[in-house]
Structure formats: structure tokens, C-alpha cells
Amino acid sequence: MSVGIVSYGAYIPRFRIKVEEIAKVWGDNANSIIDGLMVYEKSVPDIDEDTITIAVEAARSAIKRGRVNPERIEAVFTGSESHPYAVKPTSTVVAEAIGATPNLTAADFEFACKAGTAAIQACVGLAGSGMIDLGLAIGSDVSQGAPGDALEYTAAAGGVAYIIGKKEIAAEIESTYSFTTDTPDFWRREGMPYPEHGGRFTGEPGYFKHVTSAATGLMEKLGTKPSDYKYAIFHQPNGKFPSRVAKMLGFSSEHIKPGLVVSRLGNTYSGSCMMGLAATLDIAKPGDRIFVTAFGSGAGADAFSINVTDRIEELRNGAPSVEELLADPIYINYSTYARHKNKIKL
Amino acid sequence: MSVPRFWRRLKNVYNLIGTQCENCGMYYYPPRSLCPKCRRSSLIIPFKFKGEGEVLTYTIVHSATKDFEKHVPYILAIIKLNEGPNLTSQVICSPEEIHIGMKVKSVFRKLGEESEKGMIYYGTKFVPLLNHSGK
């Protein structure tokens, strides 16, 4: 019996900061950054928002959209690289706040930007084997970028939750394939507030090698080619990388267009690729086939082949779409941004 | 607030779980173990509030305690839930936006933290009910 997405929900904080505003503070050329990254603005969490609150809002949205009884959820896994506690799970708070406790398993995942898709894979395994009825896989982050670092232009906030099961599937996950190596392209040491990265080294040996390997691996496994898919989503740390990797693999700009939300959102790290998938599911029709490849530094990539079913229409208006969440932002200046991101210590 | 004190009412704060007296139909938040109207005839059961209501009154805080310095100016309001009970909560919006009668809905936010190394308290706050057609 097949396994897939029973429901999904997203959450994006309302605050945004424009690239021009950040560039003004550091004396950078905003136009060249926008051209280079293909990112115009990024989301910023409110002062009282963090990975846990975002994960809860996304999970509640998924439950509402699919009219799911939370007591059916028997596994909660939250992927993030900004869990508020070093020890004390995000997932237990989420489980309690959605009313899924106490008869379930829960754990936090960490694998840079692909912790959320690793959580989906774990849920696919548990639900597919019959060990659980429904699993909740979340990617949520309030990602960090040091003041003045290139990451500051893209490190954003947001989260996406997927409920995985075998019954009432809105999108069947027909197969998944991963490619993982020890590649130190990006890291954050315990107790450090901001990550370090290898600059351009994050590109070729990191992102491109892993994404292309996982994507071609899955297509070879299934005997499919890009033209077999209606849509494609690749991890979007900026707009340039997913556009380039899509071209390298033979996908067109039309394939990636609905899911390429990074230009108006920034990189939501563990939520990045999952947000692109949510935006695509928002407009997908029954019978559409979707190709997804998430990437996490360190490094690895998870590829998925997804078939949209008739039930997608039932989920359509149950919760805010990604487009609705992106609409009506509140723009803030750098000093307000610094206060929201705790860059100013009082 | 001590960790056990917060933990004891965690389910109520996370999910707006109060009580209802099945005898008279009254709703209570925070939860009551006895209906003050029915007294011995009370039939108290847990009740999860939908999380929608309206602002009865509010104040804008400009001079805050140390824990809330970063939030200034922030709004504290008395909110009448649609089911009946009133509660005090922060409303997340700009001071220009808040008004008596404003329709609000609950959201999950950080309520505070003990210290940089202490426990983080989560729970319910309210935001204006104006986005996404009430979805």
C-alpha cells in the first residue's frame, strides 16, 4: 500500500526586511547582491517567535487543512538547525500544543537545511511499515546569519509541516533516494550564535554535487526523466542555485516556477525545500507528478518523487496557502530587525 | 514563575483548555473545578476554546519590566472569547491598529523565559483576525 502526504501546513512570520536595507548598513551594493542571489527580501520572526512557535503554527495549519484528529498522530519529528534548546525537544512542545500527546514518539532532527525532509523519510518508513497511523514531519527555522556576513541577506524564518500516512493521501510519495557524504561546507559549533561556511566551497562540492547525485539517483531508480514531471523543487538557499541545478538536470524554468519562493521569502533552511513543495501543492492538480530534492550542508540531499491524487482538491482551502502567507508583509528597518533577531543585547 | 507551576497549567496555556459546567452551560477560563453559580450541582468538564474573540479593552505599555523591554510598546488587552469568558493577554499588532471591538484569534508564542539559561515559557497570545479569510 502506498504512503504519502495526508495534509500539509505552512507558517511565515509577517515581518520582512529588504536586501537594500541590509546593504545600506554594511555599505554593500544592493543591486549586485540582488542580481547575485536573486533574493529581494527575507522574512523575519517577531520578538516572541522562534523555531518552536513556528513549528506549532505550521503543524496546526496542517491539522486544520486536512481536518485530522491529532490523536491519530503517533510520531512527531521536527527538523531544524535553530532548536531553542540544546537539550529538551522541540517536538514535545509541538506534540503537546497540537493535542497529540501522550501516546506517540517524538524526536528532533538536525541536518542543516534538510532536517525536515529527513523527518519526512522517517515518517514514510514508520507509516509505510504500519508501525504508526500518522506521522508529523516538520521543517522549521529562525536561521542565523552573522551581522555583515553574506548569509544575513538570506537567513530567514518559516516552517512547514507534513502529515504522512497511508490513508486519505493527497500526494503519494512513490519513492525517495538520498546521497550523503562528509563535506564540511557549513557548520555551527555548540554554543556559537552564528554559523561558519566555506564561501564558494558550499557550491560545487556541497550543493551541486549532492543535489545532482540524489536527483539522478532517484530518476535512475524509477526510470524517469525530467519531462515526466509537471513541477520540480530544489533546495533554495538563494534563487540562483535551484535555477542552475534545475537546468543542469534538464528541468525547465516552468518546472520550478511555482515552488521558487526564495526571492520573496529568503532561505528558511529546514523549511526551504518543503515550503517550495507546499507552494506547488497549493496549485497542483490531481495526476501531477512532482520532483523534489532537498539539500543539507554537511552534506546530503534527499530526493522525492510525488504523485498528486484527487484528494488535493479537498485540502485546497482548508488553511492559508504559501501565497497568502507571503502577502501583506510588514517591512522593518535594520534596527528593528536587529531587535527581533536578538542582535542587540540589553 | 517556577518550572512546576508553569508545567501544571501547560495544557491550559498552550491550547486554551478551560472548563464548562454542563449543568448551566457556563464556560470558564482559566479552568474552575467548581461552578460558582451551580456550586454543589456543578458538572465540570474540560473545554477547549476555539480561540476567537474580541478586544473588550486594552492598554499600551511603554514602560516595561526588564523581561519585556524589547517588546515596548506592547499591548495588553482583556479579550472576550466567543464562548463567553474574559482573559488578559498580549495582542500582537501595532498600537495604531488596536481598538475596542477588534476581532482577534489565538496564536502560539513565547510568553517569556526564566533567564538565558532557564526555561522558555510558551503559550497563547492573540493577533488581529484579518488575514487569509479566517482560514
Side-chain angles (χ1 to χ4, degrees):
Chain A
M1 189 185 262
S2 58
V3 186
I5 297 164
V6 175
S7 185
Y8 66 98
Y11 179 76
I12 299 167
R14 273 189 79 188
F15 297 97
R16 305 281 186 281
I17 186 165
K18 287 185 178 287
V19 164
E20 288 97 329
E21 178 67 20
I22 301 172
K24 199 165 65 184
V25 171
W26 300 111
D28 290 335
N29 183 329
N31 288 335
S32 83
I33 288 163
I34 290 168
D35 288 345
L37 297 174
M38 291 166 65
V39 173
Y40 300 94
E41 59 196 53
K42 67 168 191 171
S43 62
V44 180
D46 206 339
I47 291 167
D48 54 3
E49 288 183 306
D50 64 12
T51 291
I52 287 181
T53 66
I54 289 171
V56 168
E57 289 294 338
R60 284 179 174 175
S61 179
I63 286 167
K64 194 175 177 185
R65 182 190 297 279
R67 296 181 294 280
V68 173
N69 175 2
E71 289 178 1
R72 286 180 59 200
I73 295 170
E74 294 177 298
V76 175
F77 300 134
T78 311
S80 181
E81 61 173 56
S82 52
H83 291 291
Y85 289 100
V87 179
K88 163 84 181 81
T90 294
S91 298
T92 55
V93 183
V94 174
E96 197 74 62
I98 60 169
T101 53
N103 299 315
L104 79 163
T105 184
D108 288 355
F109 282 35
E110 190 280 312
F111 196 145
C113 295
K114 80 160 192 79
T117 52
I120 290 179
Q121 289 178 325
C123 286
V124 166
L126 288 171
S129 66
M131 284 177 70
I132 60 168
D133 180 6
L134 296 176
L136 176 63
I138 304 169
S140 175
D141 256 308
V142 285
S143 43
Q144 313 94 344
D149 189 283
L151 287 178
E152 200 179 20
Y153 290 103
T154 53
V160 195
Y162 288 88
I163 297 173
I164 307 294
K166 286 166 83 170
K167 288 176 263 180
E168 299 167 323
I169 294 169
E172 180 210 4
I173 298 173
E174 66 174 324
S175 192
T176 177
Y177 184 98
S178 293
F179 183 87
T180 308
T181 70
D182 182 2
T183 306
D185 57 333
F186 178 103
W187 62 90
R188 180 167 66 83
R189 294 278 301 272
E190 181 75 39
M192 292 293 110
Y194 300 113
E196 300 289 323
H197 55 88
R200 287 185 179 188
F201 182 69
T202 60
E204 291 302 334
Y207 184 92
F208 292 102
K209 176 184 168 186
H210 291 80
V211 170
T212 55
S213 298
T216 52
L218 182 58
M219 284 191 277
E220 278 170 18
K221 181 181 165 185
L222 290 171
T224 56
K225 52 192 183 304
S227 58
D228 294 327
Y229 295 91
K230 179 79 183 281
Y231 302 112
I233 302 105
F234 300 98
H235 170 52
Q236 30 199 294
N238 51 54
K240 207 167 211 174
F241 278 24
S243 303
R244 194 170 136 204
V245 87
K247 202 173 173 185
M248 286 164 71
L249 288 163
F251 289 92
S252 70
S253 56
E254 291 304 308
H255 275 114
I256 62 168
K257 195 176 172 186
L260 198 61
V261 291
V262 65
S263 302
R264 293 174 290 154
L265 174 63
N267 180 6
T268 50
Y269 284 50
S270 297
S272 171
C273 200
M274 293 165 77
M275 190 72 77
L277 175 59
T280 306
L281 288 173
D282 285 340
I283 54 103
K285 298 277 187 298
D288 287 347
R289 207 172 187 184
I290 303 172
F291 192 82
V292 181
T293 308
F295 169 73
S297 288
D302 300 329
F304 299 84
S305 184
I306 294 170
N307 287 313
V308 179
T309 75
D310 293 343
R311 196 175 122 79
I312 196 75
E313 301 292 355
E314 290 175 38
L315 303 185
R316 191 76 70 198
N317 295 310
S321 66
V322 174
E323 272 304 318
E324 285 173 315
L325 293 167
L326 282 169
D328 195 25
I330 299 169
Y331 289 103
I332 55 175
N333 59 25
Y334 193 89
S335 53
T336 307
Y337 160 74
R339 197 159 64 133
H340 279 229
K341 289 292 291 172
N342 214 18
K343 288 172 193 269
I344 300 171
K345 302 286 181 188
L346 292 173
Chain B
M1 192 188 295
S2 68
V3 170
R5 195 177 152 206
F6 178 79
W7 175 76
R8 273 196 289 272
R9 60 190 196 99
L10 182 146
K11 281 180 192 288
N12 311 104
V13 178
Y14 280 10
N15 282 315
L16 276 180
I17 295 173
T19 49
Q20 183 188 16
C21 174
E22 280 192 312
N23 191 40
C24 67
M26 285 290 284
Y27 296 96
Y28 298 105
Y29 190 89
R32 280 179 179 271
S33 52
L34 186 83
C35 174
K37 196 174 150 195
C38 302
R39 304 185 66 84
R40 279 189 205 172
S41 307
S42 298
L43 288 169
I44 293 288
I45 55 160
F47 180 82
K48 187 175 187 292
F49 291 92
K50 196 176 173 221
E52 291 182 7
E54 68 173 57
V55 174
L56 278 187
T57 186
Y58 66 90
T59 186
I60 299 168
V61 180
H62 292 274
S63 181
T65 57
K66 191 164 174 51
D67 293 350
F68 286 86
E69 278 174 345
K70 277 196 292 183
H71 295 255
V72 169
Y74 67 91
I75 297 153
L76 264 186
I78 295 176
I79 290 152
K80 185 177 179 62
L81 296 173
N82 288 348
E83 294 88 346
N86 299 340
L87 56 86
T88 306
S89 171
Q90 202 174 330
V91 175
I92 313 292
C93 68
S94 72
E96 294 76 33
E97 210 179 340
I98 188 85
H99 59 271
I100 289 171
M102 176 191 255
K103 302 287 182 199
V104 290
K105 65 172 184 177
S106 62
V107 290
F108 195 78
R109 296 285 178 117
K110 266 168 75 172
L111 301 181
E113 56 188 45
E114 275 182 333
S115 63
E116 204 172 355
K117 63 180 182 180
M119 192 185 158
I120 306 167
Y121 301 122
Y122 294 94
T124 302
K125 292 185 183 179
F126 287 80
V127 295
L129 179 67
L130 44 79
N131 299 321
H132 318 310
S133 319
K135 286 177 193 171

